Amino acid sequence: MQRRKFISLGSLGLSAFTFSSFKSPKAIRKPIVISTWDAGIEANKAAWKILNNGGPALDAVEQGVMVTESSQNCCVGLGANPDRDGFVTLDASIMDHQFNCGSVAFLERIKHPISVARRVMEKTPHVMLVGEGAQQFAVAEGFPLESEQLSDDAKRAYENWLKKSEYKPVINIERTKGNHSFAPSKLESGEWNHDTIGMVALDAHGNLSGSCTTSGQGFKMRGRVGDSPIIGAGLFVDNEVGAATATGQGEDVIRISGSHLVVEFMRQGLHPEAACKKAVERIIKAKGIEKSKEIQVGFIAINKQGEYGGYCIQKGFNFAVCYADDQNFLEDGKFIL
Ligand code: SD4
């Protein structure tokens, strides 16, 4: 009798222990969309409309960044700074939840490179088209060829740059009047010194997608391509795990296959913020602290649970997060140096 009582209590005790130590699965926050820099707020709004109606993450990330590509207030797209020969050249990439991806690089006179990247993904057997070939494809797909003329701001900046013609990559920080804490007062407010938007989203069906579009760095060498159109560097999505995108000094993102690395860190169980941090640390390790002080790189990521995070080398990077009609806000990226 005593023994039987002991056994039944024991088994009860065991099951009580097992129950209390079992972590309930994390609540899944979806849909959700995040994107780089201040301009992400407006881009998120367009993406959110789609996500909130049950639409696919792929449509959301395309239409979201199209807002920024058309914006006169941001240096992404045809209004941006030109290369050192005076031409605006654009890079973009897109990736869905099934490892389908498409990109364009060194593309001129096309307003929406992100949509051309999507057509490359959906209508060709290839992943990437560049330069003249990318433009030819875009025109054949019905994209209008825009004027070569620089925007007024870009023209002014280019004329200014020509005085010295000195190429020095700038440290990307947010310079706008945003209500976050990183608008250094010594810099003119209302100015941008970055040229990219990266966006990743998780839709109501639990699928992830991402997009990234940029004019690259102003006054770059003609033909220079950054990380943004390189799948695995500027953007990566693995629907089992998460999605990540990058901004900043593209060469250093490419060197470590940055966005792929962030996703792989999430696969190992790291929270998106911790995964972004580890990728930033990898860059600093590769480059050394002193040289890293001269550049900026920021990563943002979401995982399958809709958890999100961002991290950067130095103060001044921010990103926009949206997961409800009244929840679309900027977060300052934590930084290492
Ligand atoms: C590039 N990563 O072309 C881009 C530039 C950028 O904010 O992110 N600018 O290297």
Side-chain angles (χ1 to χ4, degrees):
M1 185 65 195
Q2 275 300 81
R3 189 167 172 267
R4 220 193 278 153
K5 200 172 169 192
F6 173 78
I7 290 170
S8 65
L9 274 178
S11 59
L12 252 184
L14 181 65
S15 58
F17 171 77
T18 310
F19 181 75
S20 65
S21 64
F22 172 74
K23 281 192 188 134
S24 61
K26 278 184 195 135
I28 295 183
R29 176 177 275 161
K30 66 179 188 201
I32 179 170
V33 56
I34 64 173
S35 53
T36 55
W37 305 107
D38 273 15
I41 290 283
E42 288 306 311
N44 281 0
K45 282 184 195 165
W48 179 252
K49 254 190 215 160
I50 293 166
L51 294 171
N52 200 28
N53 284 328
L58 183 65
D59 289 351
V61 297
E62 180 190 6
Q63 289 185 37
V65 303
M66 281 173 75
V67 171
T68 326
E69 286 178 340
S70 327
S71 167
Q72 293 304 307
N73 299 320
C74 183
C75 289
V76 171
L78 291 176
N81 287 334
D83 63 16
R84 58 177 58 182
D85 291 8
F87 301 100
V88 176
T89 72
L90 305 173
D91 301 338
S93 65
I94 194 159
M95 190 160 185
D96 76 3
H97 60 293
Q98 294 174 315
F99 294 102
N100 296 309
C101 45
S103 75
V104 289
F106 192 40
L107 177 62
E108 292 174 271
R109 299 178 59 189
I110 299 288
K111 190 171 177 184
H112 289 300
I114 196 64
S115 302
V116 186
R118 183 165 176 178
R119 299 280 174 95
V120 171
M121 172 174 99
E122 291 177 340
K123 293 199 162 182
T124 78
H126 309 304
V127 165
M128 188 172 198
L129 292 179
V130 304
E132 227 181 281
Q135 191 188 68
Q136 189 181 316
F137 171 70
V139 170
E141 284 293 310
F143 290 85
L145 208 50
E146 310 286 338
S147 136
E148 234 169 29
Q149 224 170 2
L150 298 181
S151 68
D152 290 347
D153 282 352
K155 202 165 164 234
R156 218 173 302 124
Y158 183 52
E159 279 162 7
N160 210 24
W161 179 81
L162 280 175
K163 287 179 196 155
K164 285 192 183 163
S165 299
E166 210 176 61
Y167 184 67
K168 211 169 166 230
V170 287
I171 295 171
N172 302 119
I173 51 169
E174 185 58 68
R175 288 181 175 190
T176 59
K177 293 174 241 166
N179 56 2
H180 51 94
S181 55
F182 291 155
S185 55
K186 63 180 178 178
L187 298 171
E188 289 171 69
S189 61
E191 241 184 71
W192 303 84
N193 88 333
H194 55 82
D195 337 84
T196 300
I197 181 161
M199 174 179 274
V200 285
L202 176 67
D203 66 26
H205 313 284
N207 287 326
L208 292 155
S209 290
S211 61
C212 192
T213 180
T214 187
S215 56
Q217 287 165 340
F219 322 122
K220 61 195 173 188
M221 282 180 73
R222 182 140 180 84
R224 181 263 186 190
V225 170
D227 59 314
S228 306
I230 311 288
I231 298 297
L235 177 69
F236 196 69
V237 179
D238 183 329
N239 206 45
E240 273 188 4
V241 178
T245 185
T247 184
Q249 182 72 30
E251 283 75 2
D252 291 295
V253 177
I254 294 172
R255 281 186 185 109
I256 63 151
S257 299
S259 295
H260 183 261
L261 188 61
V262 172
V263 171
E264 289 308 301
F265 283 140
M266 289 194 284
R267 191 192 306 281
Q268 290 168 14
L270 291 187
H271 184 277
E273 183 181 294
C276 291
K277 183 180 184 203
K278 277 198 90 156
V280 172
E281 284 168 353
R282 181 74 62 87
I283 290 177
I284 295 172
K285 189 174 171 209
K287 209 169 171 72
I289 290 177
E290 283 315 305
K291 282 196 167 168
S292 298
K293 284 182 186 163
E294 292 167 14
I295 63 156
Q296 175 69 298
V297 169
F299 292 105
I300 59 171
I302 50 178
N303 65 15
K304 203 63 183 163
Q305 282 75 41
E307 294 174 306
Y308 68 88
Y311 229 94
C312 55
I313 294 182
Q314 50 190 308
K315 189 172 173 173
F317 168 62
N318 64 356
F319 57 100
V321 180
C322 179
Y323 48 78
D325 279 336
D326 58 352
Q327 293 294 329
N328 185 17
F329 51 89
L330 286 170
E331 246 184 69
D332 292 329
K334 291 186 186 155
F335 52 93
I336 293 183
L337 298 182

